[in-house]
Amino acid sequence: PARPFAARAIVLLGKNTAAMARSLSELTTGEKWTVFWIFANFYIHFGWEMSLLYLFDYKQWGGWSKFNAFVHAFNAYGKYDRRYGLEPPTDYGSNIDKAVLAIEVPAGIVDGTLCCFWLNSILNNCWYRYPVQLTVSALHAFGTLCFWGDEVFIGYMNWFKGRGWKWTATDGPKSIHWWWAFVGSNAVWVVVPLLYCQGAMEKMKPALMSLRN
């Protein structure tokens, strides 16, 4: 039977990793930075985000291995974004808010898979390189805006109803941690992807313009 789409992407990644040492020497400096960016996304998508499927109740374990980097990261980040460290657990038994899982797990599956194809297209000069670059980069930015919006729009709706702006999962702009943890660390996945969106559009522009004739 045919492998599931995501499984084929993992196999594709494995095959490309073996050939990467040979291929990297042929890449431009900009392409090497893109490969670095893709591997940073592999850590986020296949590590951080996908681990939420089985680590969502981590505060109920009674202790963690010092080698469990993701649990320690969730606990540390949860000090500044309480969606990652809910206590007591929710009525569905989670220490991580459902909105986080709803945004990040699909991103891990879809964006992670697309990053595999993006890497393959760079190493093998495939025709779909820039369409995939545009798609996954737009999804990166969109997912981050949704992640921010889950916190921001609660404040906005309270303000709109005359109750004042209320931050629920974070301490808001008055806290330095809000700027580096909630805004800064996530802004990377807006700014960099938008630059890649621009680059992809510029590369595809000649071919797209030719279709107007």
Side-chain angles (χ1 to χ4, degrees):
R3 291 190 184 96
F5 186 68
R8 286 189 310 227
I10 298 297
V11 171
L12 186 65
L13 172 62
K15 290 180 179 178
N16 279 318
T17 301
M20 190 166 296
R22 181 180 67 255
S23 301
L24 282 177
S25 62
E26 303 169 4
L27 301 181
T28 66
T29 300
E31 288 173 329
K32 290 177 181 178
W33 277 110
T34 300
V35 170
F36 174 81
W37 171 248
I38 291 172
F39 270 88
N41 279 281
F42 285 154
Y43 161 76
I44 293 296
H45 295 318
F46 295 134
W48 178 288
E49 292 174 338
M50 293 304 294
S51 71
L52 290 169
L53 284 171
Y54 53 90
L55 300 179
F56 62 86
D57 60 347
Y58 72 97
K59 283 185 174 287
Q60 303 167 58
W61 295 357
W64 320 307
S65 167
K66 63 182 179 180
F67 298 109
N68 194 330
F70 293 122
V71 162
H72 288 284
F74 296 155
N75 187 57
Y77 187 77
K79 295 176 182 177
Y80 314 116
D81 186 339
R82 290 179 287 276
R83 292 176 295 178
Y84 278 88
L86 300 177
E87 288 186 302
T90 65
D91 56 1
Y92 45 89
S94 179
N95 298 113
I96 296 181
D97 187 83
K98 62 183 183 299
V100 172
L101 271 77
I103 294 169
E104 296 197 0
V105 173
I109 297 170
V110 176
D111 297 4
T113 300
L114 287 172
C115 281
C116 293
F117 283 94
W118 188 10
L119 176 62
N120 180 67
S121 70
I122 293 172
L123 297 180
N124 294 295
N125 196 28
C126 298
W127 66 267
Y128 55 80
R129 171 178 174 177
Y130 294 107
V132 170
Q133 176 177 318
L134 176 62
T135 302
V136 72
S137 297
L139 287 173
H140 282 152
F142 177 74
T144 306
L145 293 177
C146 291
F147 182 82
W148 280 336
D150 179 61
E151 169 73 351
V152 170
F153 279 107
I154 295 175
Y156 164 77
M157 288 184 286
N158 275 294
W159 170 82
F160 192 84
K161 298 294 288 185
R163 301 167 185 162
W165 197 289
K166 298 179 181 179
W167 298 95
T168 55
T170 68
D171 293 329
K174 71 179 190 300
S175 170
I176 186 63
H177 303 298
W178 184 86
W179 290 102
W180 75 262
F182 181 70
V183 176
S185 65
N186 292 294
V188 175
W189 269 267
V190 174
V191 176
V192 175
L194 289 180
L195 292 174
Y196 277 115
C197 284
Q198 179 185 20
M201 291 296 292
E202 290 174 351
K203 290 290 186 180
M204 293 189 293
K205 182 178 178 179
L208 293 173
M209 291 293 289
S210 69
L211 297 176
R212 298 176 59 185
N213 301 325

